[in-house]
Amino acid sequence: MVPDPAVLRQALDHYLALSAGGDPAVAVTAQNAVYTLCVLTGTRTVEEAMSAVRVLCPESMTTGPSRPRTSIVPTAESGSGQPETVT
């Protein structure tokens, strides 16, 4: 079973955004993002998941998105769970 590349990219972007900040307040959310990547890739560690992403969806490892993506994120501006374009 191979994950949908769009779902994999969204999970990867979410993990990378959380891990870039190093904010201890988002530790649980970051752990959840790692878990999601591991489930999607059938791996047990974030290192294995990142290796699997390189194989399953190599375009996901390029810097920055190639096009705007729509993501459902709860924010104060858009309201809880409203779709918004992420650039």
Side-chain angles (χ1 to χ4, degrees):
M1 187 183 283
V2 178
D4 180 319
V7 173
L8 188 57
R9 175 64 192 235
Q10 186 174 12
L12 176 66
D13 288 348
H14 184 67
Y15 165 72
L16 293 174
L18 292 171
S19 65
D23 183 357
V26 298
V28 171
T29 305
Q31 288 174 346
N32 289 340
V34 168
Y35 175 79
T36 300
L37 276 174
C38 288
V39 168
L40 286 170
T41 58
T43 58
R44 293 181 160 230
T45 68
V46 70
E47 293 83 6
E48 291 172 345
M50 296 302 281
S51 292
V53 168
R54 285 184 196 96
V55 171
L56 294 170
C57 196
E59 66 276 2
S60 291
M61 299 309 291
T62 61
T63 57
S66 58
R67 59 181 169 72
R69 293 174 317 283
T70 299
S71 179
I72 298 178
V73 292
T75 63
E77 296 80 26
S78 67
S80 180
Q82 298 298 311
E84 67 179 41
T85 300
V86 179
T87 57

